[in-house]
Amino acid sequence: MGRRGLGLCLPSFFVIGPPRTGSSWLHEVLQSHAVLPTVSKETRFFDTHFDRGFKWYSSHFRRRKDGQPIGEIAPTYFVSADARQRISNLPSPARVICIFRNPVERIVSLYRLKSAYGFIPWSFEEALIKDPELLESSRYSTHLRAWQRALGQERVMPALFDDLQR
C-alpha cells in the first residue's frame, strides 16, 4: 500500500535493476495494477534528483485508487549507495525487488544500448575497461547484500527475470 511520510504518498515498493534486466517489460505489466511514475518510467529521485525534494518526487505519481500500491521501477538505484541509504531512511519501510538476468547477456545488452545512443564509442572489449558501469552493475551479490544489510533481508527480494516472465 502507499505510505504517507512527510505529508506525501511514498512508494511501498521499488523494483531495482540493474539496467537491462526487464524493467521496461515489468513497468508495462505493473502499470494497470499499481501507481507508477507517469512522466517517465524512472524519476532518478533517490540517486540523482534528491535535492529537488519529496514534493517534486510525489508530483510524478497520479492519484491512487483505494488499496492500489505505489511503486517505482528504477534500475539505476541498484548500484547507488545514495539511493540505498535514502530509501532505507524513509519514514515507513518499502520493499525492494532486485531483478537479475544472465550477467553476460545483460552486459552485452547494456553495451549495445549505450553504443546505439552514442554514449560509448568503443569496441565491447574497450568498453569493459573504460565504462565502469558495465561491470559494476553486474556485481549482483555485492549490491544485493548491501541492500539486504541496509533494509533487512526480509524487505529485499531477489528475482530472476526469466522466472518473472513465466
Side-chain angles (χ1 to χ4, degrees), residues 56-67:
W56 176 87
Y57 180 62
S58 184
S59 73
H60 287 80
F61 297 87
R62 64 176 163 74
R63 192 174 288 269
R64 74 182 180 120
K65 299 173 187 163
D66 285 339

Side-chain angles (χ1 to χ4, degrees), residues 82-138:
D82 287 339
R84 188 170 49 248
Q85 183 62 44
R86 291 165 178 159
I87 289 171
S88 72
N89 287 335
L90 288 175
S92 60
R95 299 214 178 260
V96 171
I97 302 167
C98 300
I99 301 178
F100 301 115
R101 173 183 175 194
N102 176 304
V104 174
E105 291 175 7
R106 192 198 68 78
I107 286 177
V108 170
S109 178
L110 184 56
Y111 167 76
R112 287 181 178 154
L113 178 76
K114 288 180 143 195
S115 185
Y117 281 105
F119 296 142
I120 52 177
W122 315 293
S123 70
F124 181 71
E125 292 77 14
E126 290 174 305
L128 288 174
I129 296 166
K130 295 179 178 182
D131 184 346
E133 181 189 13
L134 292 175
L135 293 178
E136 184 61 31
S137 59
S138 289

Side-chain angles (χ1 to χ4, degrees), residues 19-115:
R20 310 306 295 163
T21 56
S23 60
S24 294
W25 170 81
L26 191 56
H27 187 270
E28 288 297 315
V29 169
L30 291 177
Q31 218 168 298
S32 60
H33 304 286
V35 176
L36 302 173
T38 55
V39 176
S40 167
K41 182 182 79 172
E42 302 170 41
T43 66
R44 303 285 316 260
F45 177 68
F46 287 96
D47 62 351
T48 303
H49 302 300
F50 197 71
D51 61 323
R52 295 182 182 184
F54 282 96
K55 188 173 182 180
W56 176 87
Y57 180 62
S58 184
S59 73
H60 287 80
F61 297 87
R62 64 176 163 74
R63 192 174 288 269
R64 74 182 180 120
K65 299 173 187 163
D66 285 339
Q68 205 172 26
I70 298 172
E72 184 178 7
I73 299 173
T76 61
Y77 294 173
F78 182 67
V79 299
S80 172
D82 287 339
R84 188 170 49 248
Q85 183 62 44
R86 291 165 178 159
I87 289 171
S88 72
N89 287 335
L90 288 175
S92 60
R95 299 214 178 260
V96 171
I97 302 167
C98 300
I99 301 178
F100 301 115
R101 173 183 175 194
N102 176 304
V104 174
E105 291 175 7
R106 192 198 68 78
I107 286 177
V108 170
S109 178
L110 184 56
Y111 167 76
R112 287 181 178 154
L113 178 76
K114 288 180 143 195
S115 185

